[in-house]
Amino acid sequence: TAIGASVDLRCYALASHRDDGEISLYLPDLNNWEHSWDIESLPWDAVTPTRVGEDHGPLLDPRLMDAIATRALPDSVHLPQYARAKAAVTAFLYVYMILRQDGKPKPSFSFVTRSTLPIGAGLGSSASYSACVAAVNLIFAKRTSLTEPVRKRLNSEAAISYTVKHDGRRAIPNEVAEEVNKWAFIAEKVMHGNPSGVDNTVSVHGGAIAYKRAVNGSKGGMDGLHGFRSVKFLLTDSKVPRDTKRLVANVGIRLKEDPTRGADVLDAIQAISIEGFRCLSDPEIPRETLLSGLSKLIRQNHAFLKELGASHISLEEICELTDEFGLCTKLTGAGGGGCAVTLIPDDFYDDSLRILTDKLVEAGYQPYLTTVGGSGLGVNPVVGNPTLLEKEELKEAFVKEPRMNLAKWAEQQGGWLYV
């Protein structure tokens, strides 16, 4: 069992209609990769469209994947500095093309994404990107009512004299979100092959879920943590690239060397996950008891993962630095680099937090203070008909905004509605 929760760090997408028969993709955070395609030049002969109301199916279309790889990807994605961009570009093109509807015009638009999530650090940045890819493509293909809540909100607020401030939460219906989630999962498959579906589900729906993979005939699946309450965490990027395949291989070696102890450790990790699920889904457990219990589970979980060989010297240093402040930390994702996560109690002093983050930065790491378990997918459709100059000015501001200020800049645009 694994527990996944949304963090208050996002991937943002800015999309706007074009009139020149092209689509464009711009990835400023991936070494400013950018490209435009003439829509009719794409390999449409390799597409078997998925009709409205139909599911994609469990497998990617190998014919379309091959056509994109050999006939649609520009040469630039094969350069070393754009290695991460290649998967993102392929996912974007796959979803765009597979959503084509026979007899209807192919949508022409520009698509720019920025991320406040550390990229490639095991925090689900690709899933957040996939949610943006799915949502934007569904909107431009006119296959979703994702923008309908905006019209309803404007009409309803005009009819009453007072509205309760909820910052747009729970404005997008779950059935609409689930349609986006299905296609976000397809984008994740393009990028990762065999994802669990946890990351994209959390990115779209927000909150937290527990996931159990089907093993030896046992039933797998996902359960929402409906009693989940937002918790503050410090995410620290070790800036050490992860090598998931090597880590998995090393863990496999450890398990073979001592299968009895390995089985005991895996059972203990499973027990920690189950206990964490119980605590997080119990609405009656006192807040102080919850946070204290979670801290102990985090410490135990990291110790067991370290024993399996999943940690790294940088992650251990982060654990030591946070331990000086009485805080509990564990590795995230596959470990071996990437990020560490530290639970911050409600009564932890702001001054102490500033001192801790300064120490982490001095040690060469990048901390991010965030909350876990918040809202999922958000949409902010532009009202009216902006001019080409206005679109370009907004795009320029979006691209130039410093990453650490991007969330604040986005919120200032107003009108966000969330799942």
Side-chain angles (χ1 to χ4, degrees), residues 80-98:
Q81 64 266 37
Y82 297 128
R84 284 179 174 169
K86 183 178 180 180
V89 176
T90 304
F92 172 76
L93 289 173
Y94 187 94
V95 174
Y96 173 76
M97 296 181 73
I98 205 82

Side-chain angles (χ1 to χ4, degrees), residues 229-409:
R229 288 162 285 174
S230 185
V231 179
K232 190 189 303 182
F233 280 95
L234 187 69
L235 300 173
T236 304
D237 188 355
S238 69
K239 300 184 180 179
V240 175
R242 296 174 301 126
D243 186 342
T244 302
K245 290 183 179 180
R246 181 180 62 81
L247 281 165
V248 172
N250 287 343
V251 170
I253 292 172
R254 293 281 183 101
L255 294 176
K256 286 183 179 180
E257 289 175 346
D258 191 347
T260 301
R261 177 56 185 167
D264 290 342
V265 170
L266 292 177
D267 286 344
I269 292 174
Q270 171 69 358
I272 289 171
S273 296
I274 292 173
E275 180 63 15
F277 176 83
R278 187 190 69 80
C279 291
L280 290 169
S281 58
D282 184 354
E284 297 181 8
I285 188 170
R287 176 80 175 180
E288 185 177 348
T289 302
L290 170 68
L291 297 182
S292 174
L294 288 178
S295 293
K296 293 174 182 177
L297 292 175
I298 285 172
R299 189 185 297 276
Q300 292 177 31
N301 183 256
H302 181 79
F304 285 125
L305 291 170
K306 179 182 177 181
E307 185 176 346
L308 289 177
S311 191
H312 185 274
I313 186 172
S314 63
L315 297 173
E316 292 306 309
E317 183 178 19
I318 293 170
C319 287
E320 290 172 5
L321 286 170
T322 57
D323 186 60
E324 293 176 9
F325 291 79
L327 302 176
C328 298
T329 300
K330 69 177 292 294
L331 61 85
T332 62
C339 284
V341 57
T342 305
L343 190 147
I344 306 297
D346 294 338
D347 58 358
F348 193 70
Y349 292 116
D350 290 343
D351 288 344
S352 297
L353 185 58
R354 279 192 291 271
I355 295 171
L356 171 58
T357 55
D358 287 345
K359 283 193 171 187
L360 290 167
V361 171
E362 288 173 5
Y365 307 119
Q366 180 59 62
Y368 301 86
L369 183 63
T370 184
T371 55
V372 173
S375 299
L377 175 71
V379 179
N380 182 6
V382 175
V383 178
N385 187 24
T387 65
L388 179 60
L389 178 60
E390 289 172 331
K391 291 180 182 179
E392 287 301 318
E393 288 176 343
L394 182 62
K395 176 182 175 181
E396 183 179 3
F398 178 61
V399 170
K400 288 186 175 181
E401 191 68 31
R403 179 170 159 183
M404 299 302 290
N405 298 335
L406 187 58
K408 183 178 180 180
W409 178 89

Side-chain angles (χ1 to χ4, degrees), residues 25-42:
L25 176 62
Y26 183 19
L27 306 171
D29 296 326
L30 295 180
N31 290 319
N32 280 306
W33 189 92
E34 186 173 14
H35 189 78
S36 296
W37 293 264
D38 179 278
I39 292 174
E40 294 305 326
S41 72
L42 293 172

